[in-house]
Amino acid sequence: MTVGYDNLRFSSAEGIAVVTLDRPERRNSWTVPMIHEMSDALRRCDISDSVRVVVITGAGDAFSAGADLEDGPISSPGSDERPDEVLRELVTPKDVRKPVIAAINGDAIGIGLTSSLLCDLRIVARDARLAIPMTRLGVIPEMGAHWMLPRIAGHGVASDLLLTGRRIDGAEAVRLGVCHECADRGEVLDRAMEIARDIVERTAPRAVAAAKHLLAYSQGTGFRASRAYETEVFMRLAAEPDAAEGVAAFLEKRRPHWTGKLGADPV
């Protein structure tokens, strides 16, 4: 399946949707139209039963150089929309009930990096340049960076990167815990696709959606409440056909045939 966009490329096959930021002449810098298109693409991925995993990457040699500052904080050719209004309505990777992998194939600056923090996994080019330099521009980071980065890499790392705006490379990003693993520049997308295929082939859609939902829920509640809800969800899934199928497939040493659908509820 392919969908036509002006600023993105979108394709979906064998359970994996690939969303490519496609403004290589501007190093995939973000504009208001791109934000609208990304929201639409992620919404499609969330509601489609044929999509199990989403991979986001960039065209050319950059992931994203940040906001397109040619005409303001985020340029909006042909539009008078305020960027803050658009950002509030943005559908993010956190809103998608499937795993979202950022294949950071090159430089990720500003919103190019903060948007990737909303993904579940980040594979980065070893020599990519990464920075959240907003304090050096007289503003602050967006996309929930002040909430996400401390939870991903710890308060100390978040303070370092958000307050100084300094630049790191992909290898340091992995060492600091900002990204999960690094690869040579030409192998980043391949590695992300390898992880995506493993998820598609080995995991149950409803179980993965439940795990992602519970991870988010646990960040806003205490251990007792989180464990109680986890037990409730566990019992619900254990009574469904996919639980029996998973055990049978394991014992019979074959690939499972999942039948559970996400539906309208998180789990």
Side-chain angles (χ1 to χ4, degrees), residues 153-207:
H155 186 83
V157 171
S159 296
D160 174 11
L161 299 182
L162 297 180
L163 301 183
T164 71
R166 74 180 181 91
R167 182 176 293 173
I168 60 176
D169 62 19
E172 185 175 5
V174 173
R175 181 177 65 79
L176 294 174
V178 177
C179 294
H180 297 85
E181 63 178 89
C182 58
D184 292 339
R185 189 173 287 251
E187 298 175 0
V188 170
L189 181 57
D190 289 342
R191 176 57 182 146
M193 294 296 287
E194 181 182 2
I195 296 170
R197 283 191 292 270
D198 187 62
I199 293 172
V200 170
E201 292 173 3
R202 297 178 180 273
T203 68
R206 280 180 55 75

Side-chain angles (χ1 to χ4, degrees), residues 198-267:
D198 187 62
I199 293 172
V200 170
E201 292 173 3
R202 297 178 180 273
T203 68
R206 280 180 55 75
V208 171
K212 181 168 179 173
H213 173 68
L214 285 164
L215 282 167
Y217 177 83
S218 69
Q219 291 182 335
T221 189
F223 174 74
R224 289 181 181 273
S226 180
R227 182 175 177 274
Y229 185 36
E230 177 187 72
T231 300
E232 175 189 333
V233 174
F234 172 84
M235 296 304 296
R236 191 184 314 163
L237 292 179
E240 295 182 358
D242 277 350
E245 169 62 12
V247 173
F250 174 77
L251 294 175
E252 296 166 14
K253 295 181 173 57
R254 60 171 174 80
R255 285 186 59 176
H257 303 289
W258 311 116
T259 57
K261 306 295 184 183
L262 296 192
D265 296 327
V267 291

